[in-house]
Amino acid sequence: MSWPAGPGPSRPTSSGCRSGLPEQYQPQPHRGRQFFRRFSFGDLADLSVIETRQNRSQQVPTTANGLVNPALADPKRHLPEPDQLAWLTAGVEKSRKCWHLIGNQTVFAKVYAVPRTGVLPGQVFNADQWDGYQADQATLLAAMGRATTNPVVLTGDIHSSWANDLPRDTTTYPVDRNSVGVEFVCPSVTSNGFKEALGSAAAAQGATAAFQTVNPWVRFLEGIGHGFAVLDVTPERVQTDYFSIRSNGDKGLAVDPRLDPNATVGYETSYVSLKGSRRVTGPVAQLGARRDDPRPARRPGQG
């Protein structure tokens, strides 16, 4: 990561926030090295890789003065800086490929906190995610809704496995299942997840079940296993297969496979989004053997 000479952003702290910056600090235009870029895969997909750590506005708490923090929805606060967000939304809206994939750092779907003492109605789980920058979140969701391509957000950072629908309106989702895209989140290989944070596998299972109850668009959530995900893209569907590291077959329920030098890899589950559905379906069967030789690109008008 490079930093421009002279006055400018301070370095990120270990939490991913910036120290020493005013709450509304937002450089315009982009400053520092430009990491966001786009890759094209024939007529199949575009991949927009974004960068949301270098120039984000200062993170704020989820609550303030006993209320849901209004700063979370302040349009002056940004996760990707304005020129990057404009580049991203234009790419999604203008794409004529089957899919538009977005390589993304933090969870994009709205995630409300599990109700308990001290949690307010409508309080989000984590302001470090897109939920902490709700104007940008709404702008990208709106662009997805206008797009003819099928948006798929690919995310990490939260050290757990997720498959999410992306509703424009979470209040009506339980009735109309509105969704403008999907999000697949991969687990961590070694970093602590829900089990380590909460102290036991049972606590992690209880927490993930509660999250899905409060956030029904989270179609799959697993916070015990460590491992990776394999994404497979065809003109008809995008499928994600989830894998975990295991110690004698145990993904972490009783032992910690990260401490086993002889740990193996095991298949867990799969979820898919069919072209045109903009929703997550699953679980589905694991994909079979893949081949690396691509098909020729189809010209306009070809089947």
Side-chain angles (χ1 to χ4, degrees):
M1 180 177 293
S2 65
W3 298 90
S10 61
R11 294 183 182 274
T13 65
S14 59
S15 65
C17 304
R18 299 188 185 285
S19 59
L21 298 181
E23 180 176 310
Q24 301 301 332
Y25 178 85
Q26 180 59 46
Q28 168 70 8
H30 178 87
R31 297 182 68 180
R33 178 173 296 175
Q34 180 176 315
F35 289 100
F36 62 91
R37 62 195 64 192
R38 182 168 294 131
F39 303 89
S40 182
F41 297 87
D43 62 341
L44 179 63
D46 287 322
L47 169 62
S48 293
V49 179
I50 63 175
E51 194 284 314
T52 57
R53 293 298 191 186
Q54 188 177 199
N55 287 315
R56 62 162 55 190
S57 297
Q58 180 76 4
Q59 186 176 326
V60 298
T62 60
T63 62
N65 300 317
L67 301 172
V68 172
N69 194 343
L72 298 174
D74 187 346
K76 295 178 183 178
R77 298 180 59 254
H78 298 284
L79 186 59
E81 64 277 14
D83 59 329
Q84 182 181 179
L85 184 62
W87 166 86
L88 177 60
T89 55
V92 170
E93 289 188 54
K94 293 178 181 178
S95 177
R96 296 298 178 262
K97 308 290 180 68
C98 297
W99 306 95
H100 196 108
L101 313 174
I102 301 173
N104 168 58
Q105 282 80 47
T106 60
V107 171
F108 179 68
K110 184 167 287 297
V111 182
Y112 291 108
V114 174
R116 62 188 186 279
T117 302
V119 171
L120 302 174
Q123 182 177 335
V124 296
F125 167 64
N126 187 354
D128 182 49
Q129 302 174 174
W130 283 75
D131 278 338
Y133 306 84
Q134 293 171 7
D136 284 359
Q137 187 182 47
T139 295
L140 183 52
L141 284 169
M144 290 178 176
R146 293 188 294 266
T148 59
T149 188
N150 294 269
V152 179
V153 182
L154 308 173
T155 302
D157 189 62
I158 199 168
H159 309 166
S160 45
S161 301
W162 306 56
N164 306 324
D165 286 347
L166 299 175
R168 287 276 309 271
D169 186 342
T170 59
T171 61
T172 65
Y173 176 86
V175 176
D176 61 20
R177 298 291 172 180
N178 74 90
S179 181
V180 296
V182 300
E183 179 177 32
F184 295 110
V185 183
C186 68
S188 65
V189 176
T190 58
S191 296
N192 288 347
F194 277 58
K195 176 190 172 184
E196 292 80 15
L198 297 175
S200 71
Q205 290 170 327
T208 53
F211 269 119
Q212 287 188 269
T213 299
V214 176
N215 304 281
W217 46 91
V218 178
R219 304 300 305 280
F220 166 65
L221 172 55
E222 205 281 332
I224 296 174
H226 297 275
F228 58 91
V230 175
L231 187 81
D232 192 86
V233 183
T234 73
E236 294 76 29
R237 55 99 184 108
V238 170
Q239 178 162 331
T240 301
D241 290 355
Y242 295 89
F243 295 83
S244 64
I245 55 175
R246 298 179 181 178
S247 178
N248 293 320
D250 186 342
K251 68 178 180 180
L253 293 170
V255 300
D256 190 340
R258 298 174 298 174
L259 304 178
D260 183 355
N262 298 311
T264 57
V265 172
Y267 167 73
E268 289 292 330
T269 190
S270 300
Y271 283 79
V272 68
S273 182
L274 301 176
K275 180 183 177 182
S277 72
R278 303 197 183 195
R279 296 177 184 167
V280 169
T281 302
V284 296
Q286 180 183 6
L287 289 168
R290 298 164 177 81
R291 61 186 180 88
D292 291 332
D293 49 320
R295 64 165 175 78
R298 297 187 180 98
R299 295 175 180 171
Q302 289 184 321

